[in-house]
Amino acid sequence: MNLLGLHHITAIASDPKVNRDFYTRVLGLRFVKKSVNQDDPGTYHLYYGDVVGSPGTALTFFPWQGLRRGRPGVGHAMATAFSIPAPALPYWQERLGRLEVDSTPLTTRFGEDGLEFTDPDGLRLELVATLESDSRPPAPSADVPVQFGLCGFHSTTLALADARATAALLTASMGYRKSATAGDRTRYTVADGGPGTYVDLLTDPSLPRGLSGAGTVHHIAFRVADDDAQREAHAQLTAQGVAVSPVIDRAYFKSIYYQEPGGVLFEIATDQPGFAIDEPIATLGTRLSLPPHLEPHRAEIEAALPEID
Ligand code: ZN
């Protein structure tokens, strides 16, 4: 299977305006797409990332106003880590403190330092000051100087009661390989490796069972280059007995979905066509983007969505 790393991570939020302010103003990501949840068009689907929301940088949210908080835990992708240049760590420590976001230093992990904190809904985030080269340019931001910006995903941490079946899926079916182990955490990587590819499997018996709700991850998407690679991935998973959804056209990428044995929903998404398919790059995220089948209902959809600008 020709996976290239992480594509996007989708999480659940409550207030869409609070969500948008946090990711754009506090973390300095670009708001690249304002769309709706295709399965629930009365709800936004908000996308943040680098200048174009490149695969490997896109964190997306379904904000359900008033939704109760979930509890990240076993059976969840319970932490989402972004890569920052090592010299940016003191900047973020100071900035988060000044903006009243409580952060704590990460226990040094595989030789790298970092910070952990939560978003306004309790979603667990990490900044990893990577010692590896990461040449992905951060989003241009009025709030965060470019030399300190987030370069995209570093890793996701899946919390599991028993990691063996998930590890087998990653290595036997998805082309991942083990890259490091420390204590109850084992890191897997794919393709060329490096930030943006890592999946950490964590088996910590002290963790509670996860409960879905605001502040939890909905699913993790992995990258393939194109439709051919996705078809091949679908065939390989199916041949190995994994129940995989049909290909679904998400307008900005095509997707297939399956559940990994530990309970986390996985998706494989194509790099093409990307977020500039229905808006110019310069004005991404400024108007409500709807998939063609919902365009005839634009007036009702817009009227029902809360104002976030
Ligand atoms: Zn997705």
Side-chain angles (χ1 to χ4, degrees), residues 8 10 45 60 219 221 253 255 257 267:
H8 65 272
T10 296
H45 193 179
T60 93
H219 64 267
F253 41 82
S255 300
Y257 300 87
E267 171 181 348

Side-chain angles (χ1 to χ4, degrees), residues 22 243 260:
F22 182 81
E260 62 83 26

Side-chain angles (χ1 to χ4, degrees), residues 7-10 45 47 60 62 218-222 250 253 255-257 265-269:
H7 185 286
H8 65 272
I9 293 177
T10 296
H45 193 179
Y47 297 75
T60 93
F62 299 134
H218 188 273
H219 64 267
I220 299 292
F222 297 90
R250 295 302 190 191
F253 41 82
S255 300
I256 57 175
Y257 300 87
L265 183 60
F266 279 2
E267 171 181 348
I268 293 177

Side-chain angles (χ1 to χ4, degrees), residues 219-240:
H219 64 267
I220 299 292
F222 297 90
R223 294 173 58 190
V224 284
D226 53 26
D227 292 1
D228 286 344
Q230 186 177 58
R231 260 192 295 277
E232 196 179 313
H234 193 289
Q236 285 183 27
L237 287 165
T238 304
Q240 287 169 42

Side-chain angles (χ1 to χ4, degrees), residues 146-169:
V146 67
Q147 70 270 30
F148 301 135
L150 277 53
C151 300
F153 294 127
H154 178 273
S155 50
T156 176
T157 296
L158 311 189
L160 303 165
D162 179 340
R164 284 174 293 187
T166 305
L169 175 72

